[in-house]
Amino acid sequence: MATSDTTRYDAIVIGAGFSGLYALHRLRELGLRTIVLEKAENVGGTWLFNRYPGARCDIESIEYSYSFSEEIQQEWVWTETMPRQPEIEAYLNFVADRLDLRRDIRFHTEVTAMTFDDVAAEWVVRTDTADTVVAPFVVAAAGILSVPKEPDIAGVESFAGRSLHTSRWPKEDVDLTGRRVGVIGTGSTGVQLIPVVARQAGQLTVFQRSPAYTLPWEVRPFDDGELDELKANYSEIRAAQRAHAVGAARLSAFSVMLEMMTKPPLKSASREEQQRAVEEGGVIGALSWGDVFFDIEANQMAAKLYGEAVARIVEDPETAAALTPTHPFGCKRPIIDQGYYETFNRDNVTLVDLRKDPIVEVSPVGIRTERGEHELDVIIYATGFDAMTGAMTRIAVTGRDGMSLADYWTTEGPYAYLGIAVAGFPNLFIVQAPGSPAPASNFVTALEQHVEWIGDCIAHLRANGYRTIEALPDAQREWTEHTTALVEPTVLVHPTCNSWYNGGNVPGKKRMYMGYTAGIPEYRRRCEEIAAAGYTGFKLA
Ligand code: NA7
């Protein structure tokens, strides 16, 4: 356990991404001596690692940013409606400097294990630098999309060309000019990456297992004076954002979907009405029907219309058919794209439909599918993440009575009370744990609420002489039943849907929809009610 050369703090934060930076600031404001442990060389978290070409947020910059500081939101200058990765990374660096956060961040320090000492009521946290750090409270802000899902394909190591993973993209420029490039993965990342790589590569081959539903949307630089005008109205913008179910009231991938839900049902639409929807609205029109999210038959009808809309853009009928999804629309995170389908009309782009021609192996010279070898110079893996739980299950977290968080989440299920705390792990607050609204919302709005609630909770414990807080198993079970019941009538739980939302994208992972879908305002109301009642569902000791 703790030794004499152990460093003691009031709180330890894991991770210096969006959540960890705000957690440090907030806890400092509350007078806690706080240290952040960060494995990378700099701040940024997910937005530091995912620097692949085309990486961009699908929520507007003025909403995908901290609202807690009027100075920061007035001083920072966004250049585009939806920010690119370099701009978000620069923004987080600006925030770290503006709030003088770096002096309390230990970089190049990865947390490997942490154990709760029952007697001392504190967490003993070990790192890969052999440091031991101790504090009564740990705020885990290790990210929900921070652990890459390794491609589970034979022969990956044998490839003699260059292998790249989108979420470990090198800092230096990668020149793909004239190269034969293969991309595996067509989720949000692949859909952003593919049009950009296609413009550079000599030949691009896209290896697609599940086609994506992706909604084209214009992203543009702000006009002269536009940002200033928005900033002048920031209080209204933030109020609307906070009151909005997904924490983003302006355009986002989610708002496009919410708008679709307000439309008349597809099942009562005539064939003429359906065709008009496709003609006038393209792929968005094809999916804009009120019953699509709740009625699987309507969803399947919409998927057919979507295929018709894709076929209007993609010139080769076989490619268009291959690009048409078969899983229910809405069960995966919505995607916004810039020129995705048009990319497949380029002479240098080929689509391999892995549903018809599966990958056999990665070979020294490329990728071998059942129909033959595709010779490549570069393979880019855009294969997703071990989301929501991956970052915490990679740390050996030991709670009361030797209980292991990794064992619990992998054998029982990814349960957490309020999406913040897990029974058996006192004084551990996990920002955006399973059961939080984060997956189906603007992460930043969700994390600000989490961090503020956690800060208030710690302040309450310290002010009232409590040493520990711990979620009660019954409360945790009821919360999970509640979050599960919310998605029961929707396509989110359809058996054909494998996504990071439900763990279905990682072989062997317990399957459960891991978000809270009643919206951030309702979530905030419940959290506040629970705190006001003396932290119902928690044991304070
Ligand atoms: P996603 O959305 O999980 O997409 C991963 C993609 O990689 C998806 O198309 C997968 O196909 C594909 N994949 C994964 N493993 C394989 C193998 N072995 N063979 C072929 N294809 C594979 O991750 P993203 O990074 O795109 O997006 C994650 C989130 O980041 C996104 O939702 C935003 O919130 C930001 P599959 O669907 O499993 O058939």
Side-chain angles (χ1 to χ4, degrees), residues 46-47 50 52 56 58 145 149-153 165-167 184-192 207-212 254 327 332-335 354 359 381-385 439 443 498-501 504-505:
T46 293
W47 286 109
N50 286 269
Y52 58 86
R56 185 192 285 282
D58 57 11
L145 292 161
K149 191 200 124 186
E150 300 305 329
D152 42 356
I153 303 169
H165 199 297
T166 47
S167 56
I184 302 182
T186 50
S188 298
T189 301
V191 165
Q192 287 187 336
F207 297 85
Q208 171 199 265
R209 188 164 68 185
S210 303
F254 299 111
H327 64 271
K332 296 189 181 189
R333 195 177 192 280
I335 305 176
L354 301 179
I359 293 179
Y381 297 96
T383 42
F385 299 88
F443 294 153
N498 292 325
S499 82
W500 67 262
Y501 279 174
N505 67 325

Side-chain angles (χ1 to χ4, degrees), residues 153-166:
I153 303 169
V156 166
E157 299 302 326
S158 71
F159 182 55
R162 186 159 191 198
S163 300
L164 294 164
H165 199 297
T166 47

